[in-house]
Structure formats: C-alpha cells, structure tokens
Amino acid sequence: MDKKEIVLSGIRSTGNLHLGNYYGALSKFVRMQDDYDCMFFIADLHALTTQPDPAQLHANVKSILAEYLAAGIDPEKATIFVQSDVPEISEMYLLLNMHVGIGELMRTAAFKDKARKALGIKTDDSADEESIERQIIGTETNKRVNAGLLTYPTLMAVDILIQKANKVPVGKDQEQHLELTRRFARRFNNYYGVELFPEPTNFDFGGHAVKVPGLDGSGKMGKSEGNCIYLIDEEKVLRKKVMRAVTDEGPKVPNSPVSQPVENLFSLMELTSAPEVVKQYRDAYADCSIRYGDLKKQLAEDILKVTTPIRQRVGDILANDEYLGRVVRMGAEKARERASKTLEEVRHIMGIRRFY
C-alpha cells in the first residue's frame, strides 16, 4: 500500500469559526481525511502575537477544538492537536530562526500590513518602503511590534517542516508564507548538504476556490471584519445578521447587472440552498420582481440547516471535558512522535549532540 501524503493545516485560536472557515476549509478537510495522512492543529502559539487575554485564549482553543470535531473531523482518522502541546515546535522554531534573515521577514506583506495596523501607520501612494520600515521599527517606547509577529513565518514553517508535510492548504494571503517555508527548507538542506525537508506545496482542492463573502456588501467573510456568520450563532442571532445584510435599491430595468452586495447574497445561497431556489431568486432579480426580505428569510433558513446540527454537536462536545482531553492527548502523542524524530535529526545535523 502506498504511503499517504501528509497534509497539514492549522487555525489560530482567536475566536469562533465561521461559515467561511467551514466552506473554505473544514468541509474539505472532512472529505480529505480518508485519502491523506491529515494533521489539523489549533495554533495557540501563533495567537500569542496579538497578546490575547490568557483565559480567553484557553477558551478559544477549547471552542475551536469542539468545532473541528462537530464539523466532522474524526480523531481516529486525522491527527488533531494543540500547537503548544508539541514542545518540539518551540525548540525547532529557535533553531530555524538561525537560518532566517530579518530583512526577508520584514519584507513580507502580512508583517507590514499587521504592523501598520498595530501602530496606526497610515500610508499613501507617496510613502516608500524604507520610510514605512523606519516607522515600524520606531522609537516610541509605548508603541511596538512584537518579535513574534516578525518571526511568524518561521513558526509557520516549523509547523509544516517538523511534520515533513507534503501539502498545506493555504489561502491567497498565506501563499507568501508558504513560499518562505519552501525557501527555508531549501536553504537548510543546501547549507548542511542534506535532504531532510521536502518542499511543501499548496493543496489544490480542484475546481474554483471557494470565496465566502461577508454580509457587509464587500470582501470575504472574516472575524476581524465583523461580517461573519459563526457556526455557533443561535437561530435568533443568525436570522438577525442575515436580515441586516447589505443590499441595494433593487433592479429598475430587467436583466440589470447584479450589484456586488446582492451577488454576495447569491453566492452564500449557492453554497447553502438548493439549485432551484438559487434560480428562483436570480430569475426574480432579472425580471425586477425580487423581494430582498424574502430572499434573506430563505437564505437564513438554508444556512440554519447547515449550522444548527454543528452548533448542537458543539454544545455536546464542550460539555464533555473527558472526551476533549482524550482527543488532544491522542493527537499530541501522534504529533510529537513525528516531531521529536525530526527535531533530533535537526539537532544532530546542526551539531547539537549529547555527550551522554
């Protein structure tokens, strides 16, 4: 039997999962777990870059773990673990940083974007990269960007390389980090004359990438944008969110182009509703008979058919601490088995060898 390819993915423990996480990742992970050696983790160390409240961080880890399980990820088929339960990751993070340049980290788009937001730096077309970098480094003691944010790509690379993952499903915003992971792997292999790390590639799910739009009329659904439908939203909350979704004044002329806010609602409907329902409302838009209140009520009803069973399972799982403990212990054991072997190889290659 051929050895299964290792697929790894993690999500930061910064809040509950939403419909975008479900259609963009979770539902696909469930389908993958029979065909690949899947490793799914909760990235609590990554979450530390935003300096979360400690009690809230722990609660977020627990809720995401429950949501993974409620969505259908099976701990008997896939390895589910908490990042900090694998201490080998932290040690290898230190070791790999010795082969990573400050400049290449500072040039990453994600770092510059997050640093600007953290410091309130406004940019315009005339701002050059050097002046932006000077502002990010800064001189004010009460404003700083933590080193963890800068070395985020190293930690992400270690998550992947320590498990020797072959494929990593990432969105467009993480593609640069995955490219850095390949670069770090290649650099380590070349520097020491070894073939230790495979160069991971983005997992291609096939077909068009799923983009789940938010309810605010533009962009994608995201926690920080405040335009989410969470998997654990109560029925009343979910209906209210959908009914408040941005639309337009309605078409005045038959077969008018669909505005972006309304197209967003159609996109959500295409994910959750039956094809004939989608056609009914698209036809109604085309002949100017559409009633947005009816569309939103239908959309809320169809989303609830997806989220209600998950929300109910989440509640049951959260109430079962014994089960959650068993899942993470089993996952940590599996993850550490591979990670400890890789770390020992890295230590030996770099010359860190025991005298006993």
Side-chain angles (χ1 to χ4, degrees):
M1 181 178 177
D2 293 337
K3 187 177 178 183
K4 291 181 178 179
E5 285 191 302
I6 300 167
V7 178
L8 180 134
S9 182
I11 189 163
R12 292 171 67 222
S13 49
T14 54
N16 295 108
L17 303 182
H18 52 71
L19 214 58
N21 298 130
Y22 180 74
Y23 283 107
L26 282 176
S27 61
K28 296 172 180 177
F29 293 168
V30 172
R31 297 197 300 270
M32 290 163 52
Q33 59 190 349
D34 287 315
D35 300 319
Y36 296 91
D37 181 351
C38 290
M39 307 190 78
F40 304 123
F41 68 97
I42 297 116
D44 56 341
L45 297 179
H46 280 293
L48 293 175
T49 60
T50 56
Q51 299 174 324
D53 172 78
Q56 190 59 53
L57 174 64
H58 180 72
N60 285 345
V61 171
K62 185 177 180 181
S63 64
I64 290 176
L65 174 63
E67 288 164 3
Y68 266 168
L69 296 165
I73 297 178
D74 185 346
E76 299 294 334
K77 295 178 179 179
T79 302
I80 307 172
F81 64 99
V82 179
Q83 188 183 27
S84 61
D85 282 346
V86 184
E88 291 83 0
I89 290 172
S90 297
E91 182 175 346
M92 191 167 140
Y93 171 46
L94 182 150
L95 296 175
L96 189 62
N97 262 325
M98 304 308 170
H99 290 279
V100 174
I102 293 173
E104 63 190 341
L105 294 176
M106 285 198 67
R107 285 191 294 273
T108 60
F111 170 71
K112 286 189 284 191
D113 183 54
K114 289 177 180 177
R116 287 169 187 161
K117 288 178 181 175
L119 298 175
I121 297 171
K122 293 181 179 173
T123 60
D124 54 41
D125 292 338
S126 64
D128 61 89
E129 290 298 314
E130 190 177 334
S131 88
I132 292 168
E133 286 181 11
R134 279 200 304 272
Q135 289 183 74
I136 289 171
I137 293 169
T139 56
E140 298 179 51
T141 55
N142 64 331
K143 283 188 176 182
R144 69 183 186 278
V145 175
N146 64 61
L149 188 61
L150 178 65
T151 58
Y152 188 106
T154 311
L155 183 55
M156 178 173 162
V158 169
D159 291 326
I160 298 164
L161 299 179
I162 204 166
Q163 303 295 344
K164 297 187 179 178
N166 308 104
K167 296 185 182 298
V168 184
V170 295
K172 193 167 185 62
D173 59 336
Q174 292 289 317
E175 283 179 349
Q176 188 179 25
H177 287 170
L178 187 58
E179 180 54 46
L180 282 174
T181 299
R182 287 193 287 269
R183 184 193 300 175
F184 298 160
R186 192 159 56 245
R187 180 181 298 161
F188 187 95
N189 289 346
N190 291 341
Y191 185 86
Y192 292 106
V194 296
E195 292 185 11
L196 180 65
F197 297 126
E199 293 185 30
T201 58
N202 197 347
F203 189 95
D204 182 7
F205 288 109
H208 296 294
V210 175
K211 182 183 177 183
V212 181
L215 300 174
D216 57 353
S218 63
K220 69 175 184 176
M221 190 170 287
K223 297 174 196 173
S224 59
E225 285 75 18
N227 60 8
C228 292
I229 293 171
Y230 291 105
L231 298 180
I232 62 164
D233 277 342
E234 295 286 344
E235 180 178 336
K236 187 176 178 181
V237 171
L238 190 149
R239 289 186 190 279
K240 187 178 289 187
K241 283 183 177 181
V242 175
M243 294 307 291
R244 288 177 175 173
V246 175
T247 53
D248 58 19
E249 294 180 351
K252 308 295 185 191
V253 179
N255 299 311
S256 299
V258 181
S259 67
Q260 190 59 56
V262 177
E263 185 59 48
N264 284 358
L265 295 183
F266 283 143
S267 295
L268 286 171
M269 190 168 260
E270 283 169 355
L271 290 169
T272 58
S273 308
E276 59 270 21
V277 172
V278 181
K279 184 177 185 304
Q280 173 193 335
Y281 284 97
R282 283 199 178 274
D283 288 348
Y285 189 95
D287 66 17
C288 302
S289 66
I290 192 163
R291 293 163 58 95
Y292 288 142
D294 292 343
L295 180 149
K296 290 177 178 180
K297 286 175 185 174
Q298 179 70 54
L299 178 59
E301 201 65 43
D302 292 336
I303 291 173
L304 281 166
K305 289 175 185 175
V306 176
T307 61
T308 300
I310 295 174
R311 176 169 54 81
Q312 290 170 344
R313 287 196 294 271
V314 167
D316 292 341
I317 292 166
L318 284 174
N320 193 340
D321 283 337
E322 184 183 347
Y323 173 62
L324 285 171
R326 191 163 66 248
V327 168
V328 292
R329 282 194 301 273
M330 182 168 67
E333 187 178 330
K334 289 180 182 176
R336 290 195 70 183
E337 183 179 355
R338 190 177 278 149
S340 61
K341 184 175 182 296
T342 304
L343 177 60
E344 195 55 43
E345 290 175 305
V346 168
R347 287 171 62 96
H348 184 82
I349 289 166
M350 291 181 71
I352 303 172
R353 301 166 192 172
R354 294 184 176 88
F355 288 96
Y356 55 90

PDB file of all heavy atoms in Angstrom, residues 198-230:
ATOM      1  N   PRO A 198      11.155  18.009   2.795  1.00  0.00           N
ATOM      2  CA  PRO A 198      10.502  18.157   1.489  1.00  0.00           C
ATOM      3  C   PRO A 198      10.021  19.601   1.344  1.00  0.00           C
ATOM      4  O   PRO A 198       9.795  20.286   2.353  1.00  0.00           O
ATOM      5  CB  PRO A 198       9.304  17.195   1.579  1.00  0.00           C
ATOM      6  CG  PRO A 198       9.010  17.057   3.037  1.00  0.00           C
ATOM      7  CD  PRO A 198      10.323  17.242   3.757  1.00  0.00           C
ATOM      8  N   GLU A 199       9.897  20.076   0.124  1.00  0.00           N
ATOM      9  CA  GLU A 199       9.383  21.424  -0.095  1.00  0.00           C
ATOM     10  C   GLU A 199       7.870  21.336  -0.302  1.00  0.00           C
ATOM     11  O   GLU A 199       7.403  20.833  -1.325  1.00  0.00           O
ATOM     12  CB  GLU A 199      10.068  22.075  -1.294  1.00  0.00           C
ATOM     13  CG  GLU A 199      11.549  22.358  -1.052  1.00  0.00           C
ATOM     14  CD  GLU A 199      12.206  23.118  -2.192  1.00  0.00           C
ATOM     15  OE1 GLU A 199      11.490  23.899  -2.859  1.00  0.00           O
ATOM     16  OE2 GLU A 199      13.414  22.916  -2.419  1.00  0.00           O
ATOM     17  N   PRO A 200       7.097  21.799   0.673  1.00  0.00           N
ATOM     18  CA  PRO A 200       5.640  21.622   0.621  1.00  0.00           C
ATOM     19  C   PRO A 200       4.986  22.489  -0.451  1.00  0.00           C
ATOM     20  O   PRO A 200       5.488  23.569  -0.788  1.00  0.00           O
ATOM     21  CB  PRO A 200       5.191  22.063   2.021  1.00  0.00           C
ATOM     22  CG  PRO A 200       6.238  23.050   2.439  1.00  0.00           C
ATOM     23  CD  PRO A 200       7.533  22.554   1.857  1.00  0.00           C
ATOM     24  N   THR A 201       3.882  22.009  -0.962  1.00  0.00           N
ATOM     25  CA  THR A 201       3.124  22.754  -1.965  1.00  0.00           C
ATOM     26  C   THR A 201       1.716  23.028  -1.439  1.00  0.00           C
ATOM     27  O   THR A 201       1.242  22.360  -0.507  1.00  0.00           O
ATOM     28  CB  THR A 201       3.029  21.973  -3.291  1.00  0.00           C
ATOM     29  OG1 THR A 201       2.416  20.696  -3.036  1.00  0.00           O
ATOM     30  CG2 THR A 201       4.409  21.759  -3.890  1.00  0.00           C
ATOM     31  N   ASN A 202       1.073  24.008  -2.048  1.00  0.00           N
ATOM     32  CA  ASN A 202      -0.306  24.322  -1.676  1.00  0.00           C
ATOM     33  C   ASN A 202      -1.205  23.170  -2.110  1.00  0.00           C
ATOM     34  O   ASN A 202      -1.048  22.635  -3.209  1.00  0.00           O
ATOM     35  CB  ASN A 202      -0.743  25.622  -2.355  1.00  0.00           C
ATOM     36  CG  ASN A 202      -1.981  26.239  -1.706  1.00  0.00           C
ATOM     37  OD1 ASN A 202      -2.660  25.603  -0.904  1.00  0.00           O
ATOM     38  ND2 ASN A 202      -2.270  27.472  -2.064  1.00  0.00           N
ATOM     39  N   PHE A 203      -2.132  22.797  -1.247  1.00  0.00           N
ATOM     40  CA  PHE A 203      -3.059  21.720  -1.597  1.00  0.00           C
ATOM     41  C   PHE A 203      -4.092  22.261  -2.573  1.00  0.00           C
ATOM     42  O   PHE A 203      -4.772  23.248  -2.301  1.00  0.00           O
ATOM     43  CB  PHE A 203      -3.752  21.176  -0.353  1.00  0.00           C
ATOM     44  CG  PHE A 203      -4.552  19.925  -0.617  1.00  0.00           C
ATOM     45  CD1 PHE A 203      -3.987  18.685  -0.402  1.00  0.00           C
ATOM     46  CD2 PHE A 203      -5.847  19.993  -1.119  1.00  0.00           C
ATOM     47  CE1 PHE A 203      -4.715  17.530  -0.660  1.00  0.00           C
ATOM     48  CE2 PHE A 203      -6.572  18.845  -1.379  1.00  0.00           C
ATOM     49  CZ  PHE A 203      -5.997  17.609  -1.149  1.00  0.00           C
ATOM     50  N   ASP A 204      -4.201  21.616  -3.707  1.00  0.00           N
ATOM     51  CA  ASP A 204      -5.158  22.033  -4.728  1.00  0.00           C
ATOM     52  C   ASP A 204      -6.418  21.192  -4.579  1.00  0.00           C
ATOM     53  O   ASP A 204      -6.421  19.997  -4.846  1.00  0.00           O
ATOM     54  CB  ASP A 204      -4.547  21.830  -6.128  1.00  0.00           C
ATOM     55  CG  ASP A 204      -5.485  22.285  -7.229  1.00  0.00           C
ATOM     56  OD1 ASP A 204      -6.545  22.871  -6.905  1.00  0.00           O
ATOM     57  OD2 ASP A 204      -5.181  22.047  -8.407  1.00  0.00           O
ATOM     58  N   PHE A 205      -7.486  21.823  -4.113  1.00  0.00           N
ATOM     59  CA  PHE A 205      -8.731  21.080  -3.918  1.00  0.00           C
ATOM     60  C   PHE A 205      -9.429  20.780  -5.242  1.00  0.00           C
ATOM     61  O   PHE A 205     -10.377  20.016  -5.294  1.00  0.00           O
ATOM     62  CB  PHE A 205      -9.692  21.880  -3.031  1.00  0.00           C
ATOM     63  CG  PHE A 205      -9.265  21.934  -1.589  1.00  0.00           C
ATOM     64  CD1 PHE A 205      -8.796  23.106  -1.038  1.00  0.00           C
ATOM     65  CD2 PHE A 205      -9.329  20.809  -0.787  1.00  0.00           C
ATOM     66  CE1 PHE A 205      -8.407  23.165   0.282  1.00  0.00           C
ATOM     67  CE2 PHE A 205      -8.937  20.858   0.539  1.00  0.00           C
ATOM     68  CZ  PHE A 205      -8.480  22.037   1.077  1.00  0.00           C
ATOM     69  N   GLY A 206      -8.944  21.399  -6.316  1.00  0.00           N
ATOM     70  CA  GLY A 206      -9.581  21.203  -7.613  1.00  0.00           C
ATOM     71  C   GLY A 206     -10.770  22.149  -7.766  1.00  0.00           C
ATOM     72  O   GLY A 206     -11.398  22.563  -6.788  1.00  0.00           O
ATOM     73  N   GLY A 207     -11.058  22.505  -8.981  1.00  0.00           N
ATOM     74  CA  GLY A 207     -12.166  23.423  -9.236  1.00  0.00           C
ATOM     75  C   GLY A 207     -11.834  24.839  -8.786  1.00  0.00           C
ATOM     76  O   GLY A 207     -10.692  25.186  -8.520  1.00  0.00           O
ATOM     77  N   HIS A 208     -12.862  25.663  -8.663  1.00  0.00           N
ATOM     78  CA  HIS A 208     -12.657  27.051  -8.265  1.00  0.00           C
ATOM     79  C   HIS A 208     -12.524  27.146  -6.752  1.00  0.00           C
ATOM     80  O   HIS A 208     -13.200  26.431  -6.012  1.00  0.00           O
ATOM     81  CB  HIS A 208     -13.835  27.915  -8.733  1.00  0.00           C
ATOM     82  CG  HIS A 208     -13.971  27.984 -10.225  1.00  0.00           C
ATOM     83  ND1 HIS A 208     -13.025  28.601 -11.018  1.00  0.00           N
ATOM     84  CD2 HIS A 208     -14.927  27.500 -11.059  1.00  0.00           C
ATOM     85  CE1 HIS A 208     -13.413  28.521 -12.299  1.00  0.00           C
ATOM     86  NE2 HIS A 208     -14.553  27.843 -12.340  1.00  0.00           N
ATOM     87  N   ALA A 209     -11.645  28.023  -6.297  1.00  0.00           N
ATOM     88  CA  ALA A 209     -11.509  28.252  -4.864  1.00  0.00           C
ATOM     89  C   ALA A 209     -12.807  28.856  -4.342  1.00  0.00           C
ATOM     90  O   ALA A 209     -13.426  29.698  -4.988  1.00  0.00           O
ATOM     91  CB  ALA A 209     -10.343  29.187  -4.589  1.00  0.00           C
ATOM     92  N   VAL A 210     -13.227  28.393  -3.177  1.00  0.00           N
ATOM     93  CA  VAL A 210     -14.460  28.901  -2.585  1.00  0.00           C
ATOM     94  C   VAL A 210     -14.172  30.211  -1.868  1.00  0.00           C
ATOM     95  O   VAL A 210     -13.320  30.270  -0.987  1.00  0.00           O
ATOM     96  CB  VAL A 210     -15.047  27.884  -1.581  1.00  0.00           C
ATOM     97  CG1 VAL A 210     -16.265  28.465  -0.870  1.00  0.00           C
ATOM     98  CG2 VAL A 210     -15.419  26.596  -2.298  1.00  0.00           C
ATOM     99  N   LYS A 211     -14.868  31.260  -2.275  1.00  0.00           N
ATOM    100  CA  LYS A 211     -14.758  32.538  -1.576  1.00  0.00           C
ATOM    101  C   LYS A 211     -16.104  32.814  -0.925  1.00  0.00           C
ATOM    102  O   LYS A 211     -17.114  32.977  -1.610  1.00  0.00           O
ATOM    103  CB  LYS A 211     -14.389  33.662  -2.549  1.00  0.00           C
ATOM    104  CG  LYS A 211     -14.226  35.003  -1.847  1.00  0.00           C
ATOM    105  CD  LYS A 211     -13.940  36.119  -2.836  1.00  0.00           C
ATOM    106  CE  LYS A 211     -13.840  37.469  -2.127  1.00  0.00           C
ATOM    107  NZ  LYS A 211     -13.633  38.577  -3.064  1.00  0.00           N
ATOM    108  N   VAL A 212     -16.118  32.816   0.389  1.00  0.00           N
ATOM    109  CA  VAL A 212     -17.359  33.032   1.120  1.00  0.00           C
ATOM    110  C   VAL A 212     -17.435  34.516   1.481  1.00  0.00           C
ATOM    111  O   VAL A 212     -16.641  35.012   2.278  1.00  0.00           O
ATOM    112  CB  VAL A 212     -17.416  32.167   2.395  1.00  0.00           C
ATOM    113  CG1 VAL A 212     -18.736  32.385   3.125  1.00  0.00           C
ATOM    114  CG2 VAL A 212     -17.240  30.685   2.035  1.00  0.00           C
ATOM    115  N   PRO A 213     -18.371  35.255   0.875  1.00  0.00           N
ATOM    116  CA  PRO A 213     -18.435  36.707   1.120  1.00  0.00           C
ATOM    117  C   PRO A 213     -19.042  37.032   2.478  1.00  0.00           C
ATOM    118  O   PRO A 213     -19.765  36.220   3.069  1.00  0.00           O
ATOM    119  CB  PRO A 213     -19.335  37.200  -0.012  1.00  0.00           C
ATOM    120  CG  PRO A 213     -20.214  36.038  -0.321  1.00  0.00           C
ATOM    121  CD  PRO A 213     -19.399  34.804  -0.075  1.00  0.00           C
ATOM    122  N   GLY A 214     -18.732  38.229   2.960  1.00  0.00           N
ATOM    123  CA  GLY A 214     -19.319  38.693   4.208  1.00  0.00           C
ATOM    124  C   GLY A 214     -20.689  39.296   3.979  1.00  0.00           C
ATOM    125  O   GLY A 214     -21.190  39.368   2.854  1.00  0.00           O
ATOM    126  N   LEU A 215     -21.300  39.764   5.063  1.00  0.00           N
ATOM    127  CA  LEU A 215     -22.650  40.321   4.996  1.00  0.00           C
ATOM    128  C   LEU A 215     -22.654  41.832   4.819  1.00  0.00           C
ATOM    129  O   LEU A 215     -23.714  42.445   4.795  1.00  0.00           O
ATOM    130  CB  LEU A 215     -23.414  39.971   6.282  1.00  0.00           C
ATOM    131  CG  LEU A 215     -23.587  38.483   6.572  1.00  0.00           C
ATOM    132  CD1 LEU A 215     -24.227  38.286   7.944  1.00  0.00           C
ATOM    133  CD2 LEU A 215     -24.416  37.801   5.500  1.00  0.00           C
ATOM    134  N   ASP A 216     -21.458  42.417   4.708  1.00  0.00           N
ATOM    135  CA  ASP A 216     -21.359  43.873   4.656  1.00  0.00           C
ATOM    136  C   ASP A 216     -21.291  44.425   3.239  1.00  0.00           C
ATOM    137  O   ASP A 216     -21.011  45.604   3.043  1.00  0.00           O
ATOM    138  CB  ASP A 216     -20.152  44.357   5.462  1.00  0.00           C
ATOM    139  CG  ASP A 216     -18.842  43.729   4.982  1.00  0.00           C
ATOM    140  OD1 ASP A 216     -18.886  42.830   4.112  1.00  0.00           O
ATOM    141  OD2 ASP A 216     -17.777  44.127   5.484  1.00  0.00           O
ATOM    142  N   GLY A 217     -21.482  43.570   2.253  1.00  0.00           N
ATOM    143  CA  GLY A 217     -21.547  44.047   0.875  1.00  0.00           C
ATOM    144  C   GLY A 217     -20.252  44.014   0.110  1.00  0.00           C
ATOM    145  O   GLY A 217     -20.229  44.302  -1.078  1.00  0.00           O
ATOM    146  N   SER A 218     -19.138  43.701   0.782  1.00  0.00           N
ATOM    147  CA  SER A 218     -17.863  43.651   0.064  1.00  0.00           C
ATOM    148  C   SER A 218     -16.915  42.693   0.767  1.00  0.00           C
ATOM    149  O   SER A 218     -17.057  42.416   1.955  1.00  0.00           O
ATOM    150  CB  SER A 218     -17.223  45.040   0.010  1.00  0.00           C
ATOM    151  OG  SER A 218     -16.919  45.485   1.309  1.00  0.00           O
ATOM    152  N   GLY A 219     -15.914  42.219   0.023  1.00  0.00           N
ATOM    153  CA  GLY A 219     -14.861  41.404   0.627  1.00  0.00           C
ATOM    154  C   GLY A 219     -15.332  40.030   1.054  1.00  0.00           C
ATOM    155  O   GLY A 219     -16.469  39.613   0.831  1.00  0.00           O
ATOM    156  N   LYS A 220     -14.402  39.326   1.746  1.00  0.00           N
ATOM    157  CA  LYS A 220     -14.717  37.980   2.195  1.00  0.00           C
ATOM    158  C   LYS A 220     -15.103  37.990   3.664  1.00  0.00           C
ATOM    159  O   LYS A 220     -14.808  38.935   4.400  1.00  0.00           O
ATOM    160  CB  LYS A 220     -13.516  37.051   1.966  1.00  0.00           C
ATOM    161  CG  LYS A 220     -12.313  37.337   2.852  1.00  0.00           C
ATOM    162  CD  LYS A 220     -11.227  36.289   2.629  1.00  0.00           C
ATOM    163  CE  LYS A 220     -10.066  36.525   3.599  1.00  0.00           C
ATOM    164  NZ  LYS A 220      -9.030  35.475   3.478  1.00  0.00           N
ATOM    165  N   MET A 221     -15.754  36.924   4.082  1.00  0.00           N
ATOM    166  CA  MET A 221     -16.151  36.790   5.473  1.00  0.00           C
ATOM    167  C   MET A 221     -14.899  36.642   6.331  1.00  0.00           C
ATOM    168  O   MET A 221     -13.996  35.879   6.014  1.00  0.00           O
ATOM    169  CB  MET A 221     -17.065  35.567   5.625  1.00  0.00           C
ATOM    170  CG  MET A 221     -17.739  35.457   6.971  1.00  0.00           C
ATOM    171  SD  MET A 221     -19.017  34.154   6.991  1.00  0.00           S
ATOM    172  CE  MET A 221     -20.329  34.904   6.022  1.00  0.00           C
ATOM    173  N   GLY A 222     -14.820  37.391   7.421  1.00  0.00           N
ATOM    174  CA  GLY A 222     -13.652  37.322   8.292  1.00  0.00           C
ATOM    175  C   GLY A 222     -13.972  37.824   9.685  1.00  0.00           C
ATOM    176  O   GLY A 222     -14.801  38.713   9.856  1.00  0.00           O
ATOM    177  N   LYS A 223     -13.277  37.245  10.692  1.00  0.00           N
ATOM    178  CA  LYS A 223     -13.539  37.638  12.086  1.00  0.00           C
ATOM    179  C   LYS A 223     -13.286  39.120  12.307  1.00  0.00           C
ATOM    180  O   LYS A 223     -14.073  39.821  12.924  1.00  0.00           O
ATOM    181  CB  LYS A 223     -12.640  36.823  13.027  1.00  0.00           C
ATOM    182  CG  LYS A 223     -12.884  35.327  13.001  1.00  0.00           C
ATOM    183  CD  LYS A 223     -11.848  34.613  13.851  1.00  0.00           C
ATOM    184  CE  LYS A 223     -11.839  33.126  13.525  1.00  0.00           C
ATOM    185  NZ  LYS A 223     -10.745  32.434  14.213  1.00  0.00           N
ATOM    186  N   SER A 224     -12.145  39.594  11.811  1.00  0.00           N
ATOM    187  CA  SER A 224     -11.758  40.980  12.077  1.00  0.00           C
ATOM    188  C   SER A 224     -12.649  41.980  11.345  1.00  0.00           C
ATOM    189  O   SER A 224     -12.729  43.143  11.732  1.00  0.00           O
ATOM    190  CB  SER A 224     -10.290  41.207  11.694  1.00  0.00           C
ATOM    191  OG  SER A 224     -10.095  40.906  10.323  1.00  0.00           O
ATOM    192  N   GLU A 225     -13.334  41.533  10.279  1.00  0.00           N
ATOM    193  CA  GLU A 225     -14.192  42.442   9.526  1.00  0.00           C
ATOM    194  C   GLU A 225     -15.571  42.608  10.175  1.00  0.00           C
ATOM    195  O   GLU A 225     -16.339  43.480   9.804  1.00  0.00           O
ATOM    196  CB  GLU A 225     -14.375  41.943   8.074  1.00  0.00           C
ATOM    197  CG  GLU A 225     -13.171  42.154   7.175  1.00  0.00           C
ATOM    198  CD  GLU A 225     -12.058  41.165   7.460  1.00  0.00           C
ATOM    199  OE1 GLU A 225     -12.331  40.128   8.100  1.00  0.00           O
ATOM    200  OE2 GLU A 225     -10.918  41.436   7.057  1.00  0.00           O
ATOM    201  N   GLY A 226     -15.917  41.715  11.103  1.00  0.00           N
ATOM    202  CA  GLY A 226     -17.206  41.803  11.774  1.00  0.00           C
ATOM    203  C   GLY A 226     -18.381  41.518  10.864  1.00  0.00           C
ATOM    204  O   GLY A 226     -19.489  42.041  11.081  1.00  0.00           O
ATOM    205  N   ASN A 227     -18.167  40.719   9.831  1.00  0.00           N
ATOM    206  CA  ASN A 227     -19.240  40.448   8.859  1.00  0.00           C
ATOM    207  C   ASN A 227     -19.561  38.956   8.784  1.00  0.00           C
ATOM    208  O   ASN A 227     -19.954  38.447   7.744  1.00  0.00           O
ATOM    209  CB  ASN A 227     -18.839  40.979   7.475  1.00  0.00           C
ATOM    210  CG  ASN A 227     -17.569  40.321   6.948  1.00  0.00           C
ATOM    211  OD1 ASN A 227     -17.057  39.364   7.524  1.00  0.00           O
ATOM    212  ND2 ASN A 227     -17.056  40.841   5.844  1.00  0.00           N
ATOM    213  N   CYS A 228     -19.381  38.277   9.918  1.00  0.00           N
ATOM    214  CA  CYS A 228     -19.431  36.811   9.942  1.00  0.00           C
ATOM    215  C   CYS A 228     -20.774  36.229  10.357  1.00  0.00           C
ATOM    216  O   CYS A 228     -21.518  36.834  11.120  1.00  0.00           O
ATOM    217  CB  CYS A 228     -18.419  36.267  10.959  1.00  0.00           C
ATOM    218  SG  CYS A 228     -16.741  36.521  10.499  1.00  0.00           S
ATOM    219  N   ILE A 229     -20.985  35.013   9.876  1.00  0.00           N
ATOM    220  CA  ILE A 229     -21.982  34.127  10.463  1.00  0.00           C
ATOM    221  C   ILE A 229     -21.187  33.000  11.113  1.00  0.00           C
ATOM    222  O   ILE A 229     -20.499  32.231  10.437  1.00  0.00           O
ATOM    223  CB  ILE A 229     -22.931  33.551   9.391  1.00  0.00           C
ATOM    224  CG1 ILE A 229     -23.789  34.669   8.806  1.00  0.00           C
ATOM    225  CG2 ILE A 229     -23.813  32.451   9.979  1.00  0.00           C
ATOM    226  CD1 ILE A 229     -24.600  34.251   7.610  1.00  0.00           C
ATOM    227  N   TYR A 230     -21.213  32.939  12.435  1.00  0.00           N
ATOM    228  CA  TYR A 230     -20.461  31.917  13.149  1.00  0.00           C
ATOM    229  C   TYR A 230     -21.226  30.598  13.171  1.00  0.00           C
ATOM    230  O   TYR A 230     -22.465  30.583  13.188  1.00  0.00           O
ATOM    231  CB  TYR A 230     -20.162  32.378  14.581  1.00  0.00           C
ATOM    232  CG  TYR A 230     -19.173  33.517  14.642  1.00  0.00           C
ATOM    233  CD1 TYR A 230     -19.593  34.814  14.916  1.00  0.00           C
ATOM    234  CD2 TYR A 230     -17.826  33.303  14.398  1.00  0.00           C
ATOM    235  CE1 TYR A 230     -18.690  35.872  14.948  1.00  0.00           C
ATOM    236  CE2 TYR A 230     -16.918  34.346  14.424  1.00  0.00           C
ATOM    237  CZ  TYR A 230     -17.353  35.622  14.701  1.00  0.00           C
ATOM    238  OH  TYR A 230     -16.451  36.653  14.721  1.00  0.00           O
TER     239      TYR A 230
END
